[in-house]
Amino acid sequence: MTIPELRQYKGGKKLVVVTAYDALFARIIEQAGIDVLLVGDSLGVVVQGQANTLGVSMDEMFYHTRLVAEAAQRALVIGDMPFMSYQASREDAIRNAGRLVQAGAHAVKLEGGSTIIDQVDAITQIGIPVVGHLGMTPQSVHRYGGYRVQGKAEEDAEVLVNDAKVLEAAGAVAVVLEAIPAMLAKRITEQVSMPTIGIGAGPHCDGQVLVLYDLLGLFDEFVPKFVKPYAHLKADALQALRRYKEEVEQSKFPSDSESYH
C-alpha cells in the first residue's frame, strides 16, 4: 500500500484501518488483509492504562511505530504525532514528523484543522504525507469536557467542513473523522477529494478505523457507541488464565507430556 494507492480509495472500495502497537499484532492484522496500520497515541489508554492520550511522549510513539513498521510487509503505516509534538511550532512539527518517518512510518497524523495548518503545510513541504483528524480530537479532551460527539450544531458543522477543505488545500492526503453525525461526515466526504476515514462517523466515509483492543473485545473499561466488538478475547484470556492457575495449584500442570526426560 502506497500513498497514491491510498488516494484511489476515494469513492470506491472501502479503506480498512486498524490501530497497531506492537510487532505481533501488526503481523496478525496484515495476515487479515487490513490496508492500513495506524500506530495511534490511543496506546496511552489501551496499552499504558492512562486516562487519556495526553501523557504519551514522542519517544514512546517512535518506539511503537518502529515495532509496527519493522513487522509490516504490505500495509501502509501511519504514525500519530502525540500531544505537544507539533502544536508549538513548524520546526517542532517537521522534526517530530521526521522522527516517525525514520521509525518507519509512511505518513503522520495530526489532530486539528485551521489552527495547525502551518504545521501541516510545513510537514508536507518536506515530502512527508499528512493525515488530518477532525471532530472529537482526543488531545483536546479537556476543552470538550470529556469524549463527546462534535459538530451537532450547524455552526460547528460548518467549521468542520471548512477545516477539512483547508487541510486538503494544505496537502493532507486523508482525514480521520471521529465522533460526528453521520450526515455531517457524508457532507464532508462529498466536499473533499481526499479519502475520509470514519470512527464513530457513520457509514458514508471512504473508510473506517477502529482501535484494535476495542474490536477484539480486550478493552471494556470504556466502550463508545461506535465500537462493535468482533471478538471477546478478554473473556477468553480470563478463562485460560484461571484454568492455568487451577491446574498449577492442583499439580495438573506441568504433566508428564510437558516435562523433559
Side-chain angles (χ1 to χ4, degrees), residues 34-54:
I34 303 301
D35 303 308
V36 179
L37 304 179
L38 169 61
V39 188
D41 61 358
S42 49
L43 68 89
V45 178
V46 298
V47 176
Q48 297 176 343
Q50 300 184 49
N52 52 54
T53 65
L54 301 178

Side-chain angles (χ1 to χ4, degrees), residues 79-102:
D80 252 348
M81 296 192 67
F83 182 61
M84 291 312 298
S85 67
Y86 58 93
Q87 287 93 336
S89 68
R90 290 171 65 98
E91 291 73 21
D92 279 355
I94 292 171
R95 184 183 309 108
N96 289 317
R99 286 194 66 195
L100 289 183
V101 171
Q102 288 174 331

Side-chain angles (χ1 to χ4, degrees), residues 109-187:
K109 181 170 75 62
L110 286 68
E111 295 184 11
S114 57
T115 57
I116 58 148
I117 287 304
D118 283 348
Q119 289 89 326
V120 173
D121 177 71
I123 295 170
T124 57
Q125 286 297 320
I126 64 165
I128 298 176
V130 171
V131 174
H133 187 156
L134 297 172
M136 171 59 219
T137 47
Q139 292 176 15
S140 301
V141 62
H142 293 320
R143 178 164 61 117
Y144 302 137
Y147 295 96
R148 305 180 188 281
V149 177
Q150 302 299 306
K152 284 186 172 182
E154 179 56 30
E155 59 186 287
D156 296 329
E158 284 292 340
V159 170
L160 291 176
V161 171
N162 182 68
D163 277 347
K165 292 178 179 178
V166 170
L167 282 171
E168 183 172 40
V173 299
V175 61
V176 171
L177 303 177
E178 180 169 355
I180 65 173
M183 293 311 295
L184 173 57
K186 183 176 187 290
R187 182 170 155 196

Side-chain angles (χ1 to χ4, degrees), residues 157-226:
E158 284 292 340
V159 170
L160 291 176
V161 171
N162 182 68
D163 277 347
K165 292 178 179 178
V166 170
L167 282 171
E168 183 172 40
V173 299
V175 61
V176 171
L177 303 177
E178 180 169 355
I180 65 173
M183 293 311 295
L184 173 57
K186 183 176 187 290
R187 182 170 155 196
I188 293 172
T189 299
E190 290 172 346
Q191 294 194 33
V192 295
S193 59
M194 60 181 171
T196 58
I197 304 167
I199 176 166
H204 306 294
C205 296
D206 299 300
Q208 297 292 328
V209 59
L210 277 179
V211 171
L212 174 69
Y213 289 18
D214 287 341
L215 77 87
L216 293 181
L218 282 166
F219 187 82
D220 61 3
E221 295 177 28
F222 170 68
V223 182
K225 177 183 179 179
F226 56 77

Side-chain angles (χ1 to χ4, degrees), residues 57-79:
S57 71
M58 190 63 215
D59 285 343
E60 290 165 343
M61 288 306 306
F62 179 91
Y63 171 75
H64 285 277
T65 300
R66 180 169 59 82
L67 296 182
V68 171
E70 287 181 354
Q73 299 297 312
R74 185 196 61 81
L76 187 81
V77 177
I78 301 172

